Amino acid sequence: MSLPAKPLSGLKILELARILAGPWAGQILADLGAEVTKVERPGTGDDTRHWGPPFIGEDAAYFHAANRGKTSVAIDITTPDGQAAVRDLVAQSDVLIENFKVGGLAAYGLDYDRLKAVNPRLIYVSITGFGQDGPYAARAGYDYILQGMSGLMDITGEPDGPPQKFGVAVVDLFTGVYASTAILAAVRQRDATGEGCHIDLALFDVATSMLANQAMNYLASGVSPTRMGNAHPNIAPYQVFAVKDGHVIIAVGNDQQFRRLCDVLEADYIAQHEGFLTNAGRVAARHQLEAELTPFLANRTRADLLEALEAAGVPAGPTNTIEDVFNDTQIVHRGMKIEVGGVPGVASPIVIDGVRMVADKASPKRGT
């Protein structure tokens, strides 16, 4: 019995993007059934093919993280023949994703205006560091730098430590997700109008949007948020605590959960403390609250405490290693660790009608 077609079957994506943000968007769409053709430099290919060790075959594991389900073609876009080859592909494509500097593709006749003349239905997605206009538009954009410029690093890390980046290129990843969302919106719009469009995505814009509640905290108060380690600016207790054999996360979201936490810890006097009765009070007295809770947690084992908190309906969890994650029974059950074409990988988180959306082929070899 054949499986039903995936939601984006028949959608043709041309990817003139490298590293992570553009390829991440392409992989999301490939997992959903789109046909993604990746244009790479002859010989070297995408930079991330070389970002190892570790390697899987001849390509770095990093490359395999963002290029599942695609076909690769080697084209030198600096030559007239290469430019003609790209235009031929554009004529057959629904979407083009590129992450060259602003104006970079215009030098090769592959900018939006000229390719729109080849295919008026083309959805042209430009991913840059700072967008198509503005005083920084000509600058190159790098995830790490954008984490710093956006304020994300300033609110990440310990209060007495330096600004801290995320453990993954989170701005690139978010930009890829925003790009895939924008592409689907543009496809919907094209269904209505018959015309394509130019999507302008800037990493700096995305990183700023990721400030979420922290941005609103500033806009509402005029006070710039600061690093708080593992604590939460708006809720308490909502942080990592040390236990006898490691650490646990306790994420109390309301007053009832706080009282249940105190019941588990047999710390009635903390629950009844006038300053701790409401979340606002606990946030104002967070350091005193942490000092009061710490002795009750220090002699509990992680497994015992997590079991007791789960039974009491208090949100809590472990701080896992990556190895722990892939051995977690829930992750195993959900099938998040996959192997496609002999290459291990992490499945798409998208499940539609019980079917996980994962491309049926591994990352391509150069030019195949």
Side-chain angles (χ1 to χ4, degrees):
M1 180 179 175
S2 61
L3 293 174
K6 289 184 178 177
L8 299 185
S9 292
L11 191 71
K12 293 185 177 181
I13 315 293
L14 186 60
E15 183 184 295
L16 274 73
R18 60 196 186 280
I19 314 296
L20 189 54
W24 195 253
Q27 180 171 269
I28 292 171
L29 300 171
D31 280 337
L32 288 165
E35 179 184 320
V36 182
T37 301
K38 184 179 183 70
V39 175
E40 300 189 70
R41 291 187 300 263
T44 56
D46 190 310
D47 304 58
T48 61
R49 289 186 183 274
H50 314 284
W51 285 11
F55 289 87
I56 301 172
E58 62 183 22
D59 295 312
Y62 194 117
F63 174 79
H64 290 289
N67 289 286
R68 178 174 59 238
K70 303 174 186 178
T71 300
S72 171
V73 294
I75 299 177
D76 184 354
I77 67 169
T78 67
T79 68
D81 287 346
Q83 294 155 20
V86 171
R87 285 192 291 271
D88 287 343
L89 289 168
V90 164
Q92 307 167 44
S93 298
D94 296 290
V95 180
L96 183 148
I97 303 172
E98 61 95 2
N99 65 346
F100 285 71
K101 287 185 180 180
V102 172
L105 286 177
Y108 309 120
L110 303 176
D111 52 291
Y112 172 63
D113 287 336
R114 279 180 276 191
L115 292 185
K116 180 182 179 182
V118 174
N119 181 356
R121 292 175 56 82
L122 182 69
I123 295 164
Y124 190 107
V125 185
S126 294
I127 297 174
T128 58
F130 299 95
Q132 299 295 302
D133 51 30
Y136 300 164
R139 295 186 187 180
Y142 299 92
D143 174 280
Y144 197 168
I145 294 171
L146 272 301
Q147 286 192 41
M149 290 183 69
S150 67
L152 285 170
M153 287 177 61
D154 194 55
I155 57 172
T156 305
E158 293 300 323
D160 56 353
Q164 183 67 53
K165 74 177 183 67
F166 284 70
V168 294
V170 67
V171 179
D172 276 341
L173 297 174
F174 261 72
T175 302
V177 174
Y178 271 110
S180 62
T181 303
I183 287 165
L184 296 180
V187 170
R188 172 71 169 152
Q189 176 179 272
R190 190 184 64 185
D191 289 344
T193 67
E195 295 185 1
C197 64
H198 187 193
I199 295 171
D200 172 12
L201 274 167
L203 270 68
F204 200 11
D205 294 353
V206 171
T208 302
S209 75
M210 291 167 58
L211 293 171
N213 61 296
Q214 290 282 43
M216 292 304 299
N217 290 343
Y218 165 70
L219 295 172
S221 69
V223 177
S224 190
T226 57
R227 290 185 292 286
M228 300 179 63
N230 288 310
H232 193 290
N234 302 107
I235 316 171
Y238 201 99
Q239 64 193 86
V240 172
F241 286 96
V243 293
K244 189 173 184 180
D245 56 349
H247 295 84
V248 298
I249 302 164
I250 296 177
V252 167
N254 57 51
D255 298 337
Q256 293 77 20
Q257 290 175 358
F258 178 68
R259 287 193 289 272
R260 293 200 295 269
L261 168 66
C262 293
D263 288 342
V264 169
L265 299 179
E266 298 180 355
D268 291 343
Y269 81 89
I270 297 179
Q272 296 166 8
H273 188 292
E274 185 176 353
F276 302 154
L277 294 177
T278 67
N279 179 69
R282 294 191 296 274
V283 169
R286 66 168 69 249
H287 297 299
Q288 180 186 355
L289 175 62
E290 180 179 0
E292 295 282 3
L293 290 172
T294 294
F296 288 91
L297 294 160
N299 290 320
R300 300 290 291 262
T301 65
R302 189 168 84 157
D304 168 65
L305 179 61
L306 289 175
E307 182 179 359
L309 291 175
E310 182 174 0
V314 178
T319 56
N320 285 334
T321 65
I322 303 298
E323 181 179 8
D324 292 336
V325 173
F326 286 104
N327 288 322
D328 188 286
T329 54
Q330 181 67 16
I331 292 299
V332 172
H333 173 82
R334 295 284 290 178
M336 287 300 295
K337 179 182 176 181
I338 58 173
E339 184 172 303
V340 179
V343 177
V346 183
S348 165
I350 301 172
V351 179
I352 299 176
D353 285 340
V355 178
R356 190 170 292 280
M357 297 290 106
V358 177
D360 59 4
K361 59 183 181 180
S363 304
K365 293 183 180 179
R366 274 168 279 190
T368 60

